[in-house]
Amino acid sequence: MKKIIEILRENNLEELSQTQLDRLKASEREKIEKDSTRLYTRSLYTREGILYFVAKEDGEKSLYLCSHRVLPEDFTGQVEQFGDLFLKKAPFSTDNAATLRTVFPFTAPVSLREKRTTIGCGDRLGIASAAHIRAIRKYQAYPVLAQQSIRELNFTNRTFKRIVADAGFQVFQEGYEDGWGADGDHLKSIEDVDTALQAGMPMITLDLTETLHPEAVRWDEPKIEEEFGELPQAVRKHIDQEYRDLVFENRGVTVRLPRLEARRCALMYLDALDFAALMDRHIREHRGEAYDLEISIDETSTATLPGHHLFIIRELRRRGVTVNSLAPRFIGEFQKGVDYIGNLEEFEGQFAVHCAIAQAHGDYKISIHSGSDKFSVYPAIGRYTHHRLHLKTAGTSWVEAIRTIARTEPELYRRMHKKAQDFFPEALKSYHISADISGLPDINTLRDSQLEEYLDISESRQMLHISYGGLLRDSEIRGPFFKALSDHEELHDTIIRKHMEKHLSKLGVKKR
Ligand code: ZN
């Protein structure tokens, strides 16, 4: 803490007003360093005679409070006195994050339902948000910094509270006051929704997989008639009246929903839509209108037909469900961390229809899951959505973090690569990808300078992408991996920032 005091005194920081601090923050000087101790300039805030900031000592970031008077007790941490100055080092705990939110409300996640373009960042490591902010704040877009599914939480030994805290501290480090989101991703039960709400997460992505009846997609006419006949009379009457050979037209797009197909939709979706209505009411009771609800039907085995999308949104609206975004399953393959696989023209044709449906039914955002690295389809996505969209990119920042390792710590990279190969069959049980890793070049034959190429080959990129659970829970990898990322913080930040900027610019999102 001595070095911190030296930085403060040499720059006279503890005496500056907020206006003077803001001037310093507006300069290009992102940090002030003394030996290996570093103070993050944009985190400098003064409130009621206390100077707050983020700094890194001995490779570890913490929140610091400094004042001429005794410091308040509500942040926990170690206090030292240096002459007439008190300095407290408050670790990045979930409790300190909660206290920080009371002093600086912008460190709490908010609903982004009014924001046109939102990007789900999904930082699995809890250290990429700063770089995500640096990229996104240059564009007319807003970040959902925290975004994890229950599966990701389990694989990384984290909690919703932890990911919200991690993002909040980085928001503070970057002095980012424009608002950010936090998404409980792919939640399937009221218990999981509650855990996310209790952690203060304003966005819920409701995964309807478990309440859907996808088997009905293959049923023939007699089977549909038989099953439909079992539904309550009021439901049958509503479906037959409402969808008497429905024709939808908007922006030169026509979607037909013949009666038989509407009956099929009823069998496939009504249970799921009732569940969505229940969850929507539940979330509203907790948060008023300050939430974002995303309806996700993307984890199915077949692409969402436009007619089905139409049925789903009409029935959601009929149930009064707030739909801020909806994730269909698109035609072709959106696999983790690699470009779109499929026919571009076919994708574009069907994507345009999904957008026309969304625009005519409340203009909700089309949400693109496994949306990272789909550079070949971004121009079409930007064009048809007019940038009213949500793009989820979780996982790609983890792969790009590994790029930092490949470039700077070849031995560690080799170890990670081999472990990922070993772990791959296990990881495949949780993720659907088509990568065949048997043809990858043998890692022992590559020179150090060639290791990074693995990150640009689809097969190894996907292998590393889905092996995070095994790698991050491996005691021989975890410690050295995080230490390396801390040692090479600047390179890591630059790689993550540039990768995110590439997404935004290919989507055609305007700069601020
Ligand atoms: Zn999804």
Side-chain angles (χ1 to χ4, degrees):
M1 287 165 83
K2 216 167 134 261
K3 286 276 189 293
I4 303 265
I5 285 290
E6 285 174 26
I7 291 177
L8 296 181
R9 290 218 166 108
E10 282 165 19
N11 296 275
N12 207 22
L13 294 175
E14 80 282 10
E15 308 299 339
L16 298 184
S17 68
Q18 189 64 53
T19 316
Q20 289 167 313
L21 290 174
D22 288 344
R23 213 170 293 144
L24 178 64
K25 288 156 87 159
S27 73
E28 289 297 291
R29 205 171 169 195
E30 287 175 5
K31 54 188 187 291
I32 305 172
E33 280 177 303
K34 191 159 179 90
D35 303 326
S36 62
T37 298
R38 152 184 304 187
L39 182 149
Y40 297 84
T41 316
R42 293 193 180 121
S43 68
L44 286 162
Y45 284 91
T46 174
R47 289 285 187 281
E48 296 176 18
I50 302 169
L51 182 69
Y52 295 81
F53 56 90
V54 171
K56 181 156 123 179
E57 278 183 295
D58 304 321
E60 192 180 16
K61 285 185 191 176
S62 308
L63 174 71
Y64 292 82
L65 287 74
C66 178
S67 179
H68 288 291
R69 55 183 175 77
V70 176
L71 292 161
E73 291 291 316
D74 42 3
F75 286 97
T76 59
Q78 152 206 3
V79 183
E80 277 185 47
Q81 193 175 353
F82 297 89
D84 61 340
L85 277 180
F86 293 95
L87 183 65
K88 182 182 270 192
K89 174 182 185 167
F92 277 2
S93 65
T94 52
D95 285 346
N96 281 335
T99 310
L100 189 66
R101 292 195 284 270
T102 64
V103 187
F104 300 98
F106 68 85
T107 63
V110 292
S111 163
L112 299 175
R113 64 161 73 176
E114 305 301 332
K115 308 296 186 197
R116 188 166 188 83
T117 309
T118 46
I119 310 290
C121 301
D123 169 17
R124 287 176 182 163
L125 304 175
I127 55 171
S129 294
H132 287 145
I133 291 167
R134 287 179 202 172
I136 293 173
R137 79 191 319 178
K138 294 182 197 162
Y139 289 83
Q140 294 179 20
Y142 292 83
V144 176
L145 296 172
Q147 168 206 301
Q148 308 277 254
S149 62
I150 301 289
R151 178 171 64 189
E152 286 174 302
L153 292 181
N154 291 339
F155 279 170
T156 54
N157 284 332
R158 297 168 85 207
T159 61
F160 282 137
K161 275 206 173 94
R162 185 68 252 170
I163 66 170
V164 170
D166 286 337
F169 284 120
Q170 291 173 82
V171 162
F172 190 71
Q173 179 196 307
E174 295 302 305
Y176 182 67
E177 301 181 32
D178 295 348
W180 58 284
D183 177 10
D185 198 9
H186 276 288
L187 304 186
K188 297 174 183 170
S189 70
I190 191 161
E191 292 77 19
D192 290 344
V193 168
D194 278 339
T195 314
L197 291 174
Q198 279 152 18
M201 300 179 86
M203 178 167 176
I204 300 293
T205 297
L206 204 57
D207 181 327
L208 299 182
T209 313
E210 282 174 11
T211 39
L212 287 176
H213 302 291
E215 62 279 9
V217 84
R218 291 182 308 271
W219 289 349
D220 59 11
E221 186 168 350
K223 176 74 172 162
I224 289 172
E225 297 304 352
E226 184 197 327
E227 295 284 338
F228 188 73
E230 305 278 310
L231 295 178
Q233 204 226 337
V235 175
R236 279 184 281 139
K237 194 173 156 211
H238 158 67
I239 297 296
D240 283 345
Q241 276 179 359
E242 183 79 15
Y243 302 97
R244 189 188 298 269
D245 297 323
L246 183 80
V247 181
F248 162 83
E249 285 178 314
N250 182 33
R251 294 174 180 265
V253 159
T254 305
V255 180
R256 287 174 204 285
L257 193 62
R259 203 172 78 153
L260 180 70
E261 204 53 28
R263 289 180 166 187
R264 185 197 303 281
C265 284
L267 295 165
M268 282 179 79
Y269 299 116
L270 286 185
D271 283 348
L273 302 176
D274 287 342
F275 173 67
L278 192 73
M279 288 300 101
D280 182 45
R281 280 196 298 276
H282 184 71
I283 298 164
R284 191 178 293 125
E285 273 166 26
H286 280 259
R287 299 197 51 100
E289 294 300 316
Y291 67 95
D292 305 87
L293 180 64
E294 173 157 317
I295 302 293
S296 135
I297 46 167
D298 67 305
E299 302 232 329
T300 49
S301 55
T302 52
T304 309
L305 296 169
H308 289 210
H309 181 176
L310 184 63
F311 179 90
I312 288 165
I313 190 58
R314 286 177 67 114
E315 289 299 314
L316 285 169
R317 281 165 72 87
R318 187 165 172 270
R319 285 162 177 73
V321 178
T322 308
V323 180
N324 301 111
S325 50
L326 186 144
R329 168 148 186 186
F330 301 111
I331 202 160
E333 295 266 2
F334 276 67
Q335 293 193 10
K336 302 285 174 191
V338 294
D339 207 338
Y340 176 70
I341 303 168
N343 181 309
L344 288 180
E345 257 173 64
E346 215 172 31
F347 170 80
E348 205 171 316
Q350 213 179 78
F351 189 76
V353 181
H354 285 303
C355 293
I357 293 171
Q359 283 150 10
H361 293 87
D363 204 16
Y364 50 91
K365 296 172 196 170
I366 290 289
S367 178
I368 294 118
H369 286 204
S370 302
S372 76
D373 306 277
K374 304 296 176 289
F375 299 111
S376 65
V377 285
Y378 286 159
I381 288 174
R383 201 160 60 244
Y384 287 106
T385 57
H386 305 280
H387 301 112
R388 181 144 180 80
L389 70 100
H390 183 60
L391 181 81
K392 296 203 182 192
T393 71
T396 197
S397 55
W398 144 254
V399 181
E400 292 300 311
I402 300 176
R403 186 183 298 280
T404 313
I405 306 295
R407 213 179 279 180
T408 58
E409 311 258 352
E411 278 324 303
L412 177 58
Y413 176 80
R414 285 196 164 87
R415 264 189 289 153
M416 289 181 72
H417 188 98
K418 286 177 192 158
K419 293 234 181 201
Q421 271 173 331
D422 295 342
F423 187 68
F424 189 62
E426 182 64 30
L428 275 182
K429 292 180 188 163
S430 305
Y431 286 96
H432 162 71
I433 56 163
S434 59
D436 172 7
I437 62 167
S438 61
L440 282 176
D442 181 355
I443 189 146
N444 295 319
T445 65
L446 292 194
R447 291 192 307 276
D448 289 357
S449 60
Q450 294 174 298
L451 293 177
E452 198 181 333
E453 291 168 19
Y454 276 115
L455 280 314
D456 301 316
I457 303 172
S458 274
E459 286 76 14
S460 43
R461 192 170 172 85
Q462 287 196 297
M463 173 187 80
L464 291 162
H465 193 294
I466 67 166
S467 300
Y468 65 98
L471 291 173
L472 289 174
R473 287 180 298 181
D474 187 308
S475 58
E476 290 169 30
I477 299 293
R478 188 180 172 86
F481 174 67
F482 277 103
K483 182 179 183 306
L485 292 180
S486 176
D487 290 350
H488 306 287
E489 182 183 353
E490 262 168 29
L491 177 64
H492 172 253
D493 282 357
T494 304
I495 288 174
I496 302 287
R497 175 178 57 75
K498 286 193 172 157
H499 193 56
M500 181 55 81
E501 284 176 13
K502 187 174 169 193
H503 284 70
L504 290 153
S505 79
K506 295 269 180 192
L507 279 165
V509 180
K510 288 202 182 68
K511 290 216 169 184
R512 278 180 200 259

